[in-house]
């Protein structure tokens, strides 16, 4: 098995501290109008994002269109993220597909200086739980970086599977995207002390209160990718038990955003990128097979965004 270049316990402790102090940032990847990687714009965008001090940054993951990146683009994105983060917060790069391809990305992330890897759900294949664990075990055996598994879509662990997963050297946590709180509670009880869990549901703030009741208060925030002011206002209110502010943000901003998101497949990313463009952020379009929203949806998104910014005391285009 590969020896770890970064101590998994140390990374887990840094992530735990980051999760307690801020949302987890999943930045967008900037593309040009014709679909090429726009690294200069990405660097400018990410610099502004990280100035808001998220708990950790996860480049080239779902929101960052990992599945649309080739290896050279992935290398450029992760390298730029490590440089801009400059040790201020952990950098957890996405990896995925089958284990052999996942290791190609993992080794690029190692060379770029990432602190850990998020293992995205594998592509297409239905598999038994023993195979899901073996997939992660194979990746862990071939990389020097600690891993966080991501259960969503075809990947779901039982308590027994979670115990097997947590026993794999280098596996430090689980991101949950299923929002099955009964199962999640059983997973947290089955996990060893110190194992990390965080809420990775789409638009995770919608379920943040519910996740906290089963001992999973940390969450990723797609909204942070275009409106860190709104994401920060929600996080602050939630941690302060300011139920009035939490409820108002959920009712007037997050729920309308989710209702629009659910109208078109892929809008979980496409709307985030469109909202960033509305704010003048240099992120460009999505890559196919995702599609950018049309005029009617863009107008609805603009109204939702303006409402959220007003609630957070922010402006559309910050100076």
């Amino acid at each position: 098995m590969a020896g770890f270049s970064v101590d998994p316990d140390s990374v887990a402790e840094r992530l735990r501290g980051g999760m307690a102090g801020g949302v987890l940032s999943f930045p967008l990847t900037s593309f040009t109008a014709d679909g090429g990687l726009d690294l200069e714009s990405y660097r400018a965008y990410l610099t502004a994002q990280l100035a808001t001090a998220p708990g950790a940054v996860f480049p080239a993951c779902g929101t960052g269109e990992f599945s649309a990146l080739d290896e050279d683009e992935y290398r450029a994105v992760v390298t730029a993220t490590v440089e801009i983060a400059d040790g201020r917060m952990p950098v957890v790069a996405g990896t995925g597909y089958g284990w052999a391809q996942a290791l190609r990305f993992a080794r690029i992330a190692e060379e770029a200086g990432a602190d850990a890897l998020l293992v995205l759900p594998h592509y297409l294949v239905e598999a038994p739980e023993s195979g899901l664990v073996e997939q992660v075990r194979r990746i862990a055996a071939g990389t020097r970086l600690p891993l966080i598994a991501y259960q969503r879509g075809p990947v779901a662990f039982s308590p027994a599977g979670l115990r097997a997963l947590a026993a794999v050297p280098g596996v430090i946590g689980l991101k949950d995207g299923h929002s099955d709180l009964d199962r999640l509670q059983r997973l947290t009880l089955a996990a060893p002390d110190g194992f990390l869990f965080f809420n990775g549901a789409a638009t995770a703030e919608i379920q943040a209160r519910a996740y906290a009741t089963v001992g999973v208060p940390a969450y990723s925030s797609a909204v942070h990718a275009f409106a860190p002011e709104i994401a920060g206002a929600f996080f602050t209110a939630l941690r302060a038990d300011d139920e009035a502010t939490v409820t108002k943000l959920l009712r007037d901003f997050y729920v309308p955003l989710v209702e629009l998101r659910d109208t078109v497949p892929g809008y979980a990313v496409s709307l985030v990128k469109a909202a960033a463009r509305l704010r003048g952020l240099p992120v460009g379009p999505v890559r196919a097979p995702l599609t950018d929203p049309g005029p009617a949806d863009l107008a609805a998104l603009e109204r939702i965004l303006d409402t959220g910014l007003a609630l957070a005391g922010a402006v559309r285009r910050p100076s």
Side-chain angles (χ1 to χ4, degrees):
M1 186 189 76
F4 295 106
S5 58
V6 180
D7 175 44
D9 291 338
S10 174
V11 173
E13 193 57 35
R14 287 187 68 205
L15 281 166
R16 186 175 294 105
M19 289 175 177
V23 299
L24 306 178
S25 174
F26 283 68
L28 299 157
T29 300
S30 299
F31 299 126
T32 60
D34 63 0
L37 177 66
D38 188 345
L39 189 60
E40 183 177 351
S41 291
Y42 176 74
R43 293 180 69 92
Y45 161 74
L46 188 67
T47 297
Q49 288 287 299
L50 298 194
T52 65
V57 58
F58 290 68
C61 292
T63 307
E65 296 179 77
F66 167 79
S67 64
L69 300 175
D70 67 26
E71 292 178 15
D72 290 339
E73 292 169 333
Y74 175 88
R75 183 187 303 276
V77 167
V78 177
T79 298
T81 305
V82 171
E83 290 174 357
I84 294 166
D86 193 27
R88 291 174 293 161
M89 63 206 65
V91 175
V92 184
T95 191
Y97 305 114
W99 63 264
Q101 182 61 51
L103 280 174
R104 293 177 66 93
F105 284 104
R107 287 161 187 157
I108 292 169
E110 289 177 17
E111 294 166 5
D115 297 292
L117 295 164
L118 178 66
V119 181
L120 302 167
H122 62 272
Y123 171 71
L124 192 61
V125 177
E126 296 291 331
E129 184 171 61
S130 59
L132 301 180
V133 174
E134 181 64 19
Q135 158 89 344
V136 177
R137 182 180 288 114
R138 292 264 185 165
I139 298 169
T143 180
R144 297 189 299 273
L145 296 179
L147 306 180
I148 297 170
Y150 185 7
Q151 64 168 14
R152 187 170 183 166
V155 178
F157 294 102
S158 68
L162 188 281
R163 284 190 289 270
L165 182 73
V168 176
V171 175
I172 61 173
L174 181 74
K175 177 184 180 183
D176 176 70
H178 284 298
S179 304
D180 180 341
L181 297 183
D182 177 280
R183 177 189 289 258
L184 184 60
Q185 180 69 93
R186 285 181 278 150
L187 295 183
T188 63
L189 294 172
D193 291 343
F195 196 76
L196 301 174
F197 288 90
F198 67 93
N199 167 7
T203 319
E205 286 91 343
I206 287 285
Q207 300 185 62
R209 288 188 292 193
Y211 269 79
T213 65
V214 296
V216 184
Y219 60 91
S220 59
S221 176
V223 169
H224 185 273
F226 65 86
E229 306 96 327
I230 301 173
F234 183 89
F235 181 87
T236 299
L238 185 67
R239 295 302 167 93
D241 293 323
D242 180 354
E243 289 295 320
T245 299
V246 168
T247 298
K248 190 164 184 59
L249 283 165
L250 287 172
R251 183 183 60 231
D252 296 344
F253 171 73
Y254 283 99
V255 168
L257 180 65
V258 166
E259 289 174 347
L260 181 59
R261 180 200 74 197
D262 289 347
T263 61
V264 177
Y267 263 17
V269 175
S270 299
L271 285 182
V272 172
K273 231 175 189 184
R277 292 194 302 273
L278 285 171
R279 301 205 70 195
L281 300 173
V283 297
V286 293
R287 276 182 172 172
L290 298 178
T291 59
D292 289 307
D297 286 348
L298 199 59
L301 176 63
E302 190 170 15
R303 292 190 294 272
I304 294 166
L305 175 60
D306 285 344
T307 297
L309 291 171
L311 290 172
V315 296
R316 173 82 68 82
R317 294 180 182 245
S319 58

